[in-house]
Amino acid sequence: MDADDETSGPMIDEIYANGGGGDDGEKRSRRAIMSGDQLDIEAYAALYSGRTKIMRLLFIADKMSNAPTQLEALRMAYDEIKKGENTQLFREVVQKIDGRLGPNYGMDAAWCDAVDRRAEQKKEKLENELNAYRTNLIKESIRMGYNDFGDFYYAHGQLGEAFKNYVRTRDYCTTSKHIIHMCMSAILVSIEMGQFPHVTSYVSKAEQAPEALDAITVAKLRCAAGLANLEAKKYKLAARKFLETGPELGLHYNEVIAQQDVATYGGLCALATFDRAELKAMVYFPLSTCLSRLPLENIFILISFLPFPSHYASCLEYLGNLKANLLLDIHLHDHVETLYDQIRHKALIQYTHPFVSVDLNMMANAFKTTVAGLEKELEALITDNQIQLIVGGTCCTLQARIDSHNKILYARHADQRNATFQRVLETGREFDRDVRSMLLRSNLIKHDFNLRALRKL
């Protein structure tokens, strides 16, 4: 290989200073919930609370092919549901278990009947109270009445009705804090329903009242916006939102997302979409204190290592080991393949960047793949105009060429010096043309050669 520019040696020292190297016993001693090994369901579920904990367990049970792990997830979901009032979801879980966990995890008709009776009584009470508030025209009481109805429907799994009642409180909000509360409730339900356009809308509404936002609420809104952008496949925006989430989040939003999720989602999206400068600016420094509190920091260590050829194989291999567990994440599973493809493509492009020519055998060895497979990947990147290449130092209509016989990739990047001169010359020509046009127009006006419109008779 012929080097085109220098290897960034000082950056390596910087990376080790930011946690990318060295032996840190404390970091290694931390328990990894997501690793190359099987997912620790009990530790994973402990990160969450409320409905999202149940839905994540059920999602794992649906996706998991390992029967013992599947039953463990269903058992934990069963226990968690019985702490609440959602009898419909309880019946669905019992049906999924199908008697495989013994008589203690079967249908509890008495519990369902008792919960349903209490629900009817509570609903009747809430309706009477709300009617009384409407009669008396007390705005704050009406707002609280609709909010209580929203909480009631949410607890019983009727998310559509919960959303309607939370939104109805908007007409009776009298302070900015009331609006923020309404928006956060609507966001919570929208995330559970998978209605992420609503999430984006109510995040924007909440941000319009900055005087009522504290640090924790700001962190929650960034997480919600990150999830909405992730679902919309706007990975770069999602990465920014997740990486902007401060350590104030803590455990305050575990009914939606955990700190570990912020690190995982933000790390993968950043790896897939950020360039090297953005990774340094957005990841290395702003999150250095936050990362020290997160159990899953290997994702960000990968960010530190990714730009250097000697680490490509180990980084991609580690990501490959994480993939099975990431596919069990309720929000990330649909995006894992796309993000992984983008990360690998970025690594391939970055590898070729410093060189005029690249030996495909050496490159295949660095990425732990075959030369034939590597050629196909590079062909796709060249076709998409993502790698700038020429043959034998002569310019071609194509920006990339591969010598399949000798297994060499010829690479050369644009001459920035020449490109700058060309832009300056073009700017000068445009300026000269504009000045000549203005002088011509001025002389035409001066000598009264301008064309006047004929008046209509």
Side-chain angles (χ1 to χ4, degrees), residues 38-82:
Q38 188 173 346
L39 179 68
D40 186 338
I41 294 182
E42 185 176 354
Y44 178 75
L47 298 173
Y48 308 98
S49 66
R51 181 182 173 86
T52 193
K53 180 176 182 178
I54 299 168
M55 299 313 294
R56 285 174 181 268
L57 287 169
L58 294 179
F59 184 82
I60 291 172
D62 289 339
K63 296 294 182 180
M64 185 65 70
S65 58
N66 184 291
T69 307
Q70 182 187 58
L71 290 175
E72 177 65 13
L74 290 172
R75 181 190 65 78
M76 294 178 67
Y78 182 100
D79 292 337
E80 191 66 26
I81 291 172
K82 291 204 75 174

Side-chain angles (χ1 to χ4, degrees), residues 246-444:
E248 301 87 4
L249 181 69
L251 302 176
H252 297 288
Y253 211 30
N254 58 4
E255 68 272 21
V256 172
I257 195 171
Q259 273 189 321
Q260 174 174 305
D261 296 329
V262 176
T264 305
Y265 301 170
L268 285 174
C269 290
L271 274 171
T273 58
F274 283 9
D275 59 30
R276 190 170 177 178
E278 287 175 314
L279 288 177
K280 179 180 177 182
M282 293 294 293
V283 179
Y284 294 154
F285 302 113
L287 288 183
S288 58
T289 56
C290 181
L291 287 178
S292 63
R293 302 187 181 96
L294 296 173
L296 183 63
E297 33 189 43
N298 290 327
I299 289 289
F300 286 94
I301 294 175
L302 290 174
I303 293 176
S304 297
F305 283 144
L306 195 60
F308 302 99
S310 60
H311 296 286
Y312 286 127
S314 58
C315 292
L316 294 173
E317 182 182 0
Y318 186 80
L319 278 174
N321 293 336
L322 285 179
K323 187 175 181 179
N325 288 338
L326 295 177
L327 288 169
L328 297 177
D329 186 277
I330 196 169
H331 293 300
L332 196 61
H333 69 283
D334 281 338
H335 310 280
V336 171
E337 295 293 346
T338 302
L339 291 172
Y340 269 50
D341 286 344
Q342 290 186 17
I343 291 169
R344 183 173 179 82
H345 292 165
K346 277 192 65 180
L348 293 169
I349 294 167
Q350 182 67 36
Y351 186 96
T352 66
H353 184 75
F355 305 107
V356 173
S357 63
V358 180
D359 187 323
L360 295 186
N361 291 293
M362 293 181 65
M363 188 173 180
N365 183 57
F367 283 89
K368 303 297 181 186
T369 186
T370 63
V371 174
L374 179 62
E375 277 193 57
K376 289 183 179 180
E377 290 185 271
L378 292 174
E379 285 170 9
L381 292 174
I382 292 168
T383 303
D384 290 340
N385 204 24
Q386 296 188 51
I387 299 179
Q388 294 181 344
L389 303 171
I390 64 172
V391 182
T394 58
C395 295
C396 301
T397 55
L398 295 176
Q399 286 190 304
R401 290 290 176 88
I402 297 173
D403 185 342
S404 296
H405 178 71
N406 295 314
K407 303 302 179 186
I408 295 176
L409 182 71
Y410 292 98
R412 177 180 159 186
H413 303 278
D415 187 340
Q416 296 296 330
R417 181 185 179 88
N418 181 61
T420 301
F421 277 120
Q422 292 299 325
R423 286 197 299 270
V424 170
L425 289 173
E426 181 61 26
T427 303
R429 283 192 290 269
E430 291 177 358
F431 179 77
D432 180 70
R433 185 173 60 252
D434 292 342
V435 170
R436 288 177 182 275
S437 297
M438 287 188 290
L439 289 173
L440 176 61
R441 184 173 186 277
S442 177
N443 285 327
L444 289 172

Side-chain angles (χ1 to χ4, degrees), residues 113-130:
D113 292 340
V115 170
D116 289 339
R117 279 197 305 271
R118 288 197 302 270
E120 288 298 325
Q121 293 171 0
K122 186 174 182 179
K123 183 179 179 181
E124 184 178 355
K125 178 184 176 182
L126 290 174
E127 286 176 346
N128 293 333
E129 289 177 350
L130 182 58

Side-chain angles (χ1 to χ4, degrees), residues 22-34:
D23 294 329
D24 191 339
E26 180 182 353
K27 290 180 181 179
R28 288 199 307 271
S29 65
R30 286 182 181 151
R31 185 184 186 185
I33 296 171
M34 276 191 181

Side-chain angles (χ1 to χ4, degrees), residues 51-52 55 154 159-160 163 185-200 224 227-232 256 330-331 333-335:
R51 181 182 173 86
T52 193
M55 299 313 294
Y154 182 76
L159 300 181
F163 180 78
S185 298
I187 288 169
L188 173 63
V189 179
S190 297
I191 291 174
E192 293 289 348
M193 291 193 299
Q195 296 293 330
F196 288 95
H198 290 330
V199 174
T200 302
L227 287 175
N229 286 314
L230 177 66
E231 182 65 25
V256 172
I330 196 169
H331 293 300
H333 69 283
D334 281 338
H335 310 280

